[in-house]
Amino acid sequence: MRRARDEVQEPVNPVGAVTPLTRTEETAEVPGPLPESLAGYVSYLLRRVHAQFSATPDGTGTDSRDFLVLDALTGQDWASQLDLAERLGINRTIMVQVIDRLEARGEVRRTRNPDNRRQYVLSLTDRGRTALGSMRRAVAERDAQLTAVLGPEERARLDELLARLLPESAQPLVRGTEYLVAQAHFRLRRHGDDKLTGTGLRVRHYGPLSALVASGPCSQQELARFLAVTGPAASQLVDELVKQGLVRRGRDAHDRRRYALEVTDDGRRSLAVVTAAVHELAHDVAEMLGPGGEDELRAMLLRLLEAGEHSAGHPDSSGDISSAAGGESGGESGGESGGESGSESGGESGGHSGSDLSENSKSTVPARG
């Protein structure tokens, strides 16, 4: 079933505007040990598991949003296309395209709402029910593949806990582990970023800021390796922080050909703000999951990540972070003039960078992105 990574996470948000994700950020996660400063947060682990699931091919050509819509229409007609889009977390513009596609295939019938001519009533056709049956089998097979490390009772418990992270109105509509992971991830991301509205910060800034404060100056490649993200994703994050004056690119005292990232005084103050939001988000997650639920969900997400790493055949990353950083794709190439771009000198030899970003500060549980 074809994944829908770029649109499904942008539903209407009554609290505030959602920061759009670029393709670079959506494909940011790469294999590597998880930073201990992040691995304890369910919201972070959900992002990693969502990335792992999305990167796993399934060999079918069906769009995942088709299944979500058809499945939601099995029990009842839906009086508002916009309301259904919001409940399912699908961008309203994309929802129009999905309904157009399903209607063209004869799987959904769209009629004017007699009580409100501006709205459409959506109904599932007999052809749609037949198509849905095939999709449900494909979803069940894929979920079994993605969660093979868990037993049947554990899978059911995983789905139960993930559903608790969704709004009550959406819980009956979103079924299937992969879809629950995606929607829970998107909701927690929005929920966390809403706490930072007006600050110019995002929850995702916590990782690089906390790492740089803890380690001291380091190269962008080392930061990417530490966070287990791609070079372009690290560059995007650093550019955001540099633009706001929270991080500066100075010269590496041990190698003048490359840059060392340093947190500014404003950056340290901002870290305190984003840390408070991260802790509030973690508290909210614990409340949603109930007693013991957070520990249960964290343990299962870590098992899924470890299994994904092993099945993909990626060796565990180990050794000195600087020596391995030079091969990072999208990394730090020569010719940097010190502007907003995230590149650094291609002459980096992997020598001492003056940072303390080492594998000692990483979780031994690997991640697959």
Side-chain angles (χ1 to χ4, degrees), residues 155-227:
R155 291 188 197 117
R157 179 59 173 165
L158 174 63
D159 288 354
E160 177 187 344
L161 291 171
L162 291 170
R164 293 181 187 178
L165 299 176
L166 303 182
E168 287 188 17
S169 61
Q171 290 178 14
L173 300 178
V174 181
R175 292 190 289 179
T177 304
E178 182 171 15
Y179 300 112
L180 287 166
V181 165
Q183 293 306 309
H185 158 57
F186 296 140
R187 189 198 183 198
L188 294 186
R189 169 184 165 257
R190 291 190 300 271
H191 188 58
D193 286 348
D194 283 344
K195 296 178 182 296
L196 294 165
T197 298
T199 66
L201 296 167
R202 297 190 291 145
V203 166
R204 190 141 191 180
H205 292 150
Y206 174 75
L209 284 174
S210 61
L212 290 172
V213 166
S215 71
C218 74
S219 75
Q220 187 169 289
Q221 287 178 327
E222 290 171 317
L223 182 64
R225 168 67 180 259
F226 178 77
L227 296 175

Side-chain angles (χ1 to χ4, degrees), residues 10 17 28 43 94 100 126 136 184 192 204 221 224 232 261 301 329:
E10 302 298 342
S43 57
I94 299 301
D100 285 347
D126 290 341
R136 280 178 172 166
R204 190 141 191 180
Q221 287 178 327
L261 304 174
L301 294 175
S329 66

Side-chain angles (χ1 to χ4, degrees), residues 268-314:
R268 292 176 184 274
R269 287 188 286 269
S270 293
L271 175 58
V273 174
V274 75
T275 298
V278 167
H279 289 170
E280 286 181 19
L281 176 60
H283 177 269
D284 292 347
V285 167
E287 289 287 314
M288 294 178 202
L289 293 173
E294 184 181 19
D295 290 338
E296 270 190 276
L297 182 55
R298 183 188 299 111
M300 284 190 281
L301 294 175
L302 287 169
R303 286 174 63 191
L304 290 172
L305 289 170
E306 185 173 28
E309 178 81 4
H310 291 164
S311 66
H314 294 293

